[in-house]
Amino acid sequence: MQLRRIRQLDTESTRWRQSYGRSGSVRCTVKMPILPKFNIKRTIRRTLNKVPGKSLGEFRFLPIMFLMGGLLEFVMIHWHVGEVNFYRTYKRRRIEEAVEQRLAEMNAQVNR
């Protein structure tokens, strides 16, 4: 059944593949489908070349990064995990640090 299916594939989308045994000799040769190759470097290069403003060099990505930073900040403030979000955690931590600093100052005044 496998060979019948392989034979049905057209010749442009297939290639010969050899299977090797333990001794290194060729066991069998079958026609296998060719999978499309995905070149990540080429895809990234094409995507980056589509961004306008090539005369600005790397600075052409600055507005995109600015918007991504704003989106990240918005998500950190408005996205809640249970009852906690980043903004509440940050405020609580700052208050704890201020209280510890105030207690340290009061202890320093008392010890004088």
Side-chain angles (χ1 to χ4, degrees):
M1 178 149 177
Q2 181 76 13
L3 290 174
R4 185 179 300 153
R5 190 171 56 125
I6 291 174
R7 286 183 190 149
Q8 291 173 354
L9 296 172
D10 60 341
T11 57
E12 294 176 4
S13 65
T14 60
R15 65 182 165 99
W16 291 99
R17 181 166 183 191
Q18 295 179 342
S19 178
Y20 296 96
R22 289 185 181 176
S23 63
S25 61
V26 176
R27 267 196 312 201
C28 63
T29 304
V30 293
K31 218 170 190 183
M32 299 293 290
I34 296 176
L35 299 175
K37 292 185 179 180
F38 182 72
N39 191 345
I40 189 76
K41 285 184 179 180
R42 184 175 54 192
T43 305
I44 291 172
R45 189 178 305 123
R46 283 183 185 172
T47 305
L48 293 179
N49 283 336
K50 289 181 181 179
V51 177
K54 289 184 183 179
S55 62
L56 298 174
E58 294 175 357
F59 293 105
R60 66 184 168 158
F61 302 109
L62 194 60
I64 295 170
M65 296 303 166
F66 183 78
L67 291 175
M68 287 174 60
L71 178 66
L72 178 67
E73 188 73 22
F74 180 82
V75 167
M76 289 172 73
I77 291 172
H78 288 63
W79 183 40
H80 296 273
V81 178
E83 291 293 321
V84 181
N85 66 355
F86 172 78
Y87 188 62
R88 286 183 186 162
T89 305
Y90 176 76
K91 283 195 314 185
R92 186 180 67 234
R93 189 168 160 199
R94 293 286 293 184
I95 291 170
E96 289 173 358
E97 290 173 358
V99 167
E100 288 175 5
Q101 182 181 7
R102 182 72 178 209
L103 287 174
E105 289 174 0
M106 291 175 65
N107 285 338
Q109 288 178 358
V110 170
N111 291 336
R112 285 187 185 179

